[in-house]
Amino acid sequence: AQSVTQLGSHVSVSEGALVLLRCNYSSSVPPYLFWYVQYPNQGLQLLLKYTSAATLVKGINGFEAEFKKSETSFHLTKPSAHMSDAAEYFCAVSDRGTYKYIFGTGTRLKVLA
Amino acid sequence: KAGVTQTPRYLIKTRGQQVTLSCSPISGHRSVSWYQQTPGQGLQFLFEYFSETQRNKGNFPGRFSGRQFSNSRSEMNVSTLELGDSALYLCASSFGATGANNEQFFGPGTRLTVL
């Protein structure tokens, strides 16, 4: 069965530093891949999605993610963290076999002043 | 375009009671999915409805049920509530069914507390 692993349940970075949030999937057939963000007391909002058109995907708020088939990874990055980026981030896959959306356990990003 | 709306936003119930949560998807969206979010288990998929048919179901007991109406609005019901059912219940809608490259649009959630 498809699974998603997010390494690090909590990540802290200084304002202006690089943000790197890790996501690995398990399927040998690349699923559809997404990153979502959840701000306190809100639902999830799409940051970006992998469409197979390009391995480097650009999303909103300056985030981007690179699909690496050889590493079964879809890590999320942002060159310079802003205080407003503090939130919980979820990697998700849409499994082509079971048609289920599977979320990772989430990474809570803290941005230090 | 209005987003996904969920009612009520907050709910307090006692063990043994039942509860019904409502979700109105974005206009034109035919798929509605429900998730349970808890600090310990993260986001757990409950079920998905597409054009009034349950298309997919997660690993939850039969106390959790749902339905979708012809206008795509959806309800989920939890009977015989247990303390462990306390969670944020999120509804998400998409134009197409899951399994494709469809973005899900989430509502703000209903926070259920079971005492």
Side-chain angles (χ1 to χ4, degrees):
Chain A
Q2 178 71 255
S3 66
V4 180
T5 302
Q6 288 185 244
L7 285 176
S9 58
H10 292 81
V11 170
S12 294
V13 299
S14 298
E15 192 173 20
L18 171 73
V19 175
L20 170 61
L21 304 182
R22 300 177 187 274
C23 172
N24 289 86
Y25 63 92
S26 64
S27 174
S28 58
V29 176
Y32 298 110
L33 294 156
F34 308 80
W35 274 100
Y36 285 84
V37 61
Q38 185 179 31
Y39 297 102
N41 299 314
Q42 293 185 28
L44 280 69
Q45 176 186 0
L46 182 72
L47 275 176
L48 50 81
K49 66 179 180 181
Y50 171 64
T51 63
S52 75
T55 56
L56 185 62
V57 182
K58 293 189 183 299
I60 62 172
N61 301 338
F63 284 93
E64 60 184 36
E66 186 173 9
F67 172 71
K68 290 188 177 180
K69 185 177 178 180
S70 60
E71 299 177 9
T72 60
S73 69
F74 191 56
H75 301 332
L76 182 71
T77 60
K78 182 174 180 177
S80 177
H82 191 272
M83 297 297 288
S84 61
D85 294 327
E88 190 156 20
Y89 293 80
F90 293 90
C91 180
V93 302
S94 179
D95 187 82
R96 302 185 193 214
T98 63
Y99 305 107
K100 287 182 181 179
Y101 233 78
I102 302 165
F103 284 87
T105 50
T107 297
R108 189 170 297 277
L109 176 67
K110 186 175 182 180
V111 182
L112 307 171
Chain B
K1 205 178 216 180
V4 178
T5 58
Q6 291 187 246
T7 56
R9 290 292 311 276
Y10 301 91
L11 208 48
I12 299 175
K13 293 285 187 180
T14 56
R15 280 181 298 174
Q17 287 187 309
Q18 75 161 20
V19 66
T20 298
L21 311 181
S22 180
C23 172
S24 293
I26 291 172
S27 178
H29 285 192
R30 294 184 295 165
S31 170
V32 173
S33 297
W34 288 89
Y35 298 87
Q36 181 194 67
Q37 185 177 24
T38 58
Q41 300 295 319
L43 272 162
Q44 301 287 311
F45 171 74
L46 279 156
F47 26 67
E48 180 206 0
Y49 287 87
F50 183 77
S51 295
E52 301 181 67
T53 300
Q54 187 181 85
R55 192 164 175 271
N56 231 324
K57 191 176 189 306
N59 297 324
F60 278 82
R63 299 185 297 107
F64 292 82
S65 63
R67 58 178 175 169
Q68 186 180 33
F69 302 96
S70 58
N71 62 358
S72 293
R73 191 177 70 84
S74 177
E75 290 181 347
M76 69 162 280
N77 184 76
V78 188
S79 63
T80 320
L81 284 166
E82 300 177 359
L83 294 178
D85 297 333
S86 294
L88 180 67
Y89 290 88
L90 292 165
C91 166
S93 75
S94 63
F95 179 75
T98 58
N101 198 15
N102 291 309
E103 172 187 355
Q104 292 200 319
F105 294 81
F106 284 80
T110 294
R111 184 162 297 281
L112 172 65
T113 302
V114 182
L115 303 176

